[in-house]
Amino acid sequence: MTNKLVPEIRFDSFKDKWLTRNLNEIMKFSNGINAPKEAYGQGRKMISVLDILSEEYLTYDNVRNSVSVSEILEQKNKVEFGDLVFVRSSEVLNEVGLSKAYLDNEYALYSGFSIRGKKISEYDPIFVERSLNGISRRQIERKSGGSTRYNVSQEILNSLFINMPTVQEQQKIGEFFKNLDDRIALQQQHITLLKESKQGFLQKMFPKDGERVPEVRFDGFSGEWEVLEIKNIAAETYGGGTPKTSISDYWNGNIPWIQSSDLKTDVLNLVSPTKFISDAGINNSATKLVPENSIAIVTRVGVGKLALVPYPYATSQDFLSLSSLKIDLKFALYSLYLIIKKEVNNLQGTSIKGITKPELLKKKIIIPSNLKEQQKIGEFFKNLDDSIAAHEKELELLQETKKGFLQKMFV
């Protein structure tokens, strides 16, 4: 039988059982500052709910807001290294009571929408934060009440308990998760840089408005690009539709039926169908069977998303699909992405929620006359997307690894 006060995974040098302690044995709770409106935006940094919910470490430089208060009030509301700050109220259950350890030697202040846990006993702050936000989380969710908002109070926090090993083991666990968080943050930064690079290349490797030559070009290619309408680059176009959901024979077949929600914004080479239809569904509705290697473009609900689909499929009425492309498929995909993105930006702030099929097919597309140049550009961006996808997969694995360790290294 597993001992509930011994974690499933543990560093070899530690053998003792963990001890159960009330939270008020290790920290003292108090509510934060409620200052007049004119006091904000100046003075000392003040921790807000956004800082607690952020994925960044809680340090002075990372705190977003500031407040100017009297010396007496400032001294009373210091948040110092090792203190924890809790979300006091939220409309969302999984946010209320979340905590963040303050990890800076320069003190900050904290807002009235939060509760400070002032450190009064020796502990590792990262360990305590991970425990309270993880395995001990259910205590807070059970006790936080409210009709339209969930709330925690000093009284609730005083009633919580936490299982703790020796300080030395806490520090070992805290360091382990800090290193894991650093790896995750580095991976996220790498993905962000790759995405920024991609956007930069998209702006420079396709001609700007009113121009016929791109700013950056592969060696060996010259001359102006050709201007066509989108309708001229596809031999076939297909709309979509929805088979009657009340007729079961139309559904659960082997033909992917793609909805807007199956595509992700800015992800052009991945579609995740969740529904499938039958031949009967095709034959008795407006949807069509679209050939493989077609480009599916969302024109209505979710306008702005598009993807290359490497297998036969059908779509809802929110799509226009381009098939039997007369230009390089990958080049077409990224060129259309730029056109659609610009169109979505133009629609923002208007009451228009989409783009019609005739409007889209009349849009201008600029292409190199040399097929090899199209292929090189298309392959370049496909490789960039593959790299981004690989790094995102690695990030997901790191996050799942962290989740697993959080469940097995705490009690």
Side-chain angles (χ1 to χ4, degrees):
M1 185 174 177
T2 303
N3 191 319
K4 291 183 179 180
L5 289 179
V6 175
E8 186 177 342
I9 295 177
R10 199 173 190 184
F11 293 104
D12 290 338
S13 54
F14 302 103
K15 307 295 181 185
D16 295 336
K17 290 182 181 178
W18 291 21
L19 299 177
T20 301
R21 302 183 67 180
N22 281 101
L23 205 55
N24 61 13
E25 295 178 49
I26 64 172
M27 59 183 74
K28 183 178 179 181
F29 300 103
S30 58
N31 294 343
I33 294 171
N34 289 302
K37 183 173 65 175
E38 59 270 15
Y40 295 101
Q42 57 187 317
R44 184 160 286 274
K45 292 285 190 74
M46 181 192 68
I47 297 165
S48 69
V49 170
L50 286 176
D51 300 313
I52 301 172
L53 298 179
S54 171
E55 293 183 1
E56 297 177 317
Y57 291 122
L58 188 51
T59 61
Y60 193 80
D61 287 343
N62 287 339
V63 175
R64 294 162 174 75
N65 299 320
S66 58
V67 67
S68 178
V69 294
S70 68
E71 181 66 23
I72 294 174
L73 201 56
E74 187 166 310
Q75 291 302 313
K76 182 183 175 183
N77 290 281
K78 284 184 176 182
V79 179
E80 299 172 295
F81 187 94
D83 294 342
L84 269 73
V85 191
F86 297 79
V87 175
R88 185 177 173 185
S89 179
S90 177
E91 295 178 353
V92 183
L93 179 60
N94 61 10
E95 289 182 356
V96 67
L98 282 176
S99 63
K100 204 67 172 278
Y102 190 67
L103 303 174
D104 205 315
N105 290 320
E106 183 171 0
Y107 74 87
L109 305 176
Y110 65 109
S111 78
F113 294 102
S114 60
I115 296 176
R116 177 193 61 191
K118 171 60 68 176
K119 183 177 181 179
I120 59 173
S121 179
E122 191 63 25
Y123 60 76
D124 182 80
I126 295 179
F127 169 87
V128 174
E129 176 195 307
R130 295 294 191 276
S131 181
L132 291 174
N133 291 343
I135 204 160
S136 301
R137 176 73 195 155
R138 290 177 189 171
Q139 295 181 75
I140 295 175
E141 292 185 351
R142 283 198 304 264
K143 296 182 179 184
S144 60
S147 54
T148 58
R149 293 186 69 87
Y150 298 94
N151 304 286
V152 296
S153 61
Q154 295 180 44
E155 182 180 0
I156 289 174
L157 295 177
N158 275 316
S159 71
L160 302 181
F161 62 84
I162 181 172
N163 295 319
M164 304 178 73
T166 63
V167 173
Q168 290 76 18
E169 188 172 0
Q170 292 177 42
Q171 291 169 340
K172 194 84 173 175
I173 294 169
E175 182 183 9
F176 174 82
F177 280 100
K178 185 178 184 303
N179 290 337
L180 195 51
D181 283 341
D182 288 343
R183 284 187 62 192
I184 289 171
L186 189 63
Q187 190 70 10
Q188 289 170 326
Q189 289 172 13
H190 199 165
I191 292 168
T192 298
L193 287 173
L194 281 172
K195 289 182 175 180
E196 289 174 351
S197 295
K198 175 186 169 182
Q199 292 303 317
F201 282 123
L202 282 168
Q203 296 303 316
K204 294 185 177 182
M205 294 179 70
F206 288 87
K208 292 181 172 60
D209 287 344
E211 298 182 5
R212 302 277 292 274
V213 176
E215 184 179 341
V216 174
R217 204 166 187 179
F218 289 107
D219 291 338
F221 301 104
S222 59
E224 291 188 343
W225 289 19
E226 184 181 1
V227 180
L228 298 174
E229 290 185 347
I230 290 176
K231 67 181 180 182
N232 299 132
I233 69 170
E236 298 286 345
T237 62
Y238 296 85
T242 303
K244 286 186 178 180
T245 56
S246 59
I247 302 179
S248 59
D249 287 347
Y250 294 172
W251 296 88
N252 300 316
N254 57 7
I255 302 168
W257 182 76
I258 297 171
Q259 309 167 86
S260 174
S261 57
D262 297 330
L263 279 66
K264 294 182 179 179
T265 302
D266 297 330
V267 178
L268 309 186
N269 293 285
L270 177 66
V271 180
S272 303
T274 56
K275 294 183 179 180
F276 295 81
I277 60 175
S278 63
D279 289 331
I282 293 278
N283 296 331
N284 292 279
S285 72
T287 195
K288 306 295 181 185
L289 184 62
V290 184
E292 64 185 24
N293 293 324
S294 297
I295 297 175
I297 304 170
V298 181
T299 59
R300 293 171 61 180
V301 179
V303 61
K305 295 189 281 189
L306 71 160
L308 172 62
V309 187
Y311 44 76
Y313 65 97
T315 73
S316 74
Q317 56 272 23
D318 295 328
F319 284 83
L320 169 67
S321 292
L322 305 180
S323 298
S324 303
L325 275 293
K326 301 175 183 178
I327 62 175
D328 181 72
L329 190 56
K330 294 170 190 172
F331 173 86
L333 180 67
Y334 291 99
S335 185
L336 287 167
Y337 167 71
L338 279 177
I339 294 168
I340 299 296
K341 191 172 182 180
K342 188 182 299 179
E343 189 64 26
V344 170
N345 289 337
N346 292 337
L347 290 176
Q348 287 181 354
T350 72
S351 59
I352 303 172
K353 301 302 180 184
I355 180 172
T356 67
K357 176 179 175 180
E359 286 174 341
L360 180 58
L361 293 177
K362 286 183 178 179
K363 294 288 179 186
K364 296 292 192 291
I365 183 170
I366 307 176
I367 64 170
S369 55
N370 190 320
L371 179 61
K372 288 185 178 180
E373 186 173 10
Q374 297 175 29
Q375 291 169 336
K376 282 189 78 82
I377 294 170
E379 193 65 27
F380 175 82
F381 283 104
K382 176 63 165 60
N383 289 339
L384 255 181
D385 272 346
D386 288 345
S387 180
I388 290 169
H391 281 85
E392 287 179 330
K393 183 65 175 176
E394 187 175 344
L395 176 61
E396 289 176 12
L397 290 173
L398 283 170
Q399 290 169 331
E400 285 300 311
T401 298
K402 176 184 173 181
K403 183 178 178 181
F405 280 126
L406 282 168
Q407 292 172 343
K408 295 183 177 182
M409 294 181 71
F410 289 85
V411 294

